[in-house]
Amino acid sequence: MTTALRPAHVCRGLLAVLEASESRRKRRLRDTTPDAIGFGIKRDLLESAVREDPEPDEFEAWLLARCLAAAGGVSVGAMRSMALEVLAEWRLAVAAPSFSDWLAQGAP
């Protein structure tokens, strides 16, 4: 997949989406601890992608490396689940310019 779109750019937009989701999560009446854990893992992946700016053609391998290096009490399964979600969103941004544009506008 050759694209001019950078994973860091998409992940920056996904961080804005995550912020909005976290805000809604905090208002729910049920126990949202599992959601908070997943959001934390996803936030770490997104922030790392923004900071490290992996090449588009290497993004999937970059995510896999993060899963294999999971540390700090994070389960490999939970990390893999969030990495797959980030990968799916990345692929959507590449395939659907309207989604990428929405992210670039701050995901209003």
Side-chain angles (χ1 to χ4, degrees):
M1 163 187 3
T2 302
T3 178
L5 190 61
R6 304 283 306 171
H9 179 76
V10 172
C11 290
R12 190 173 294 110
L14 290 172
L15 280 167
V17 173
L18 190 63
E19 287 294 325
S21 294
E22 277 188 300
S23 174
R24 286 189 300 274
R25 178 194 64 81
K26 292 175 183 176
R27 293 190 305 262
R28 292 188 182 121
L29 298 178
R30 66 176 175 80
D31 178 12
T32 60
T33 302
D35 297 336
I37 293 168
F39 284 162
I41 294 168
K42 188 172 182 180
R43 175 181 305 290
D44 289 345
L45 282 170
L46 295 172
E47 288 175 346
S48 292
V50 169
R51 186 174 48 254
E52 296 178 28
D53 192 19
E55 293 296 323
D57 291 341
E58 299 170 7
F59 190 48
E60 186 172 0
W62 182 91
L63 286 167
L64 175 61
R66 294 305 160 287
C67 292
L68 296 175
V74 175
S75 81
V76 173
M79 178 71 84
R80 181 178 179 272
S81 177
M82 291 297 99
L84 287 171
E85 190 171 306
V86 170
L87 181 61
E89 292 167 336
W90 157 249
R91 287 178 174 164
L92 178 60
V94 170
S98 60
F99 180 64
S100 178
D101 292 345
W102 178 72
L103 289 174
Q105 294 169 14

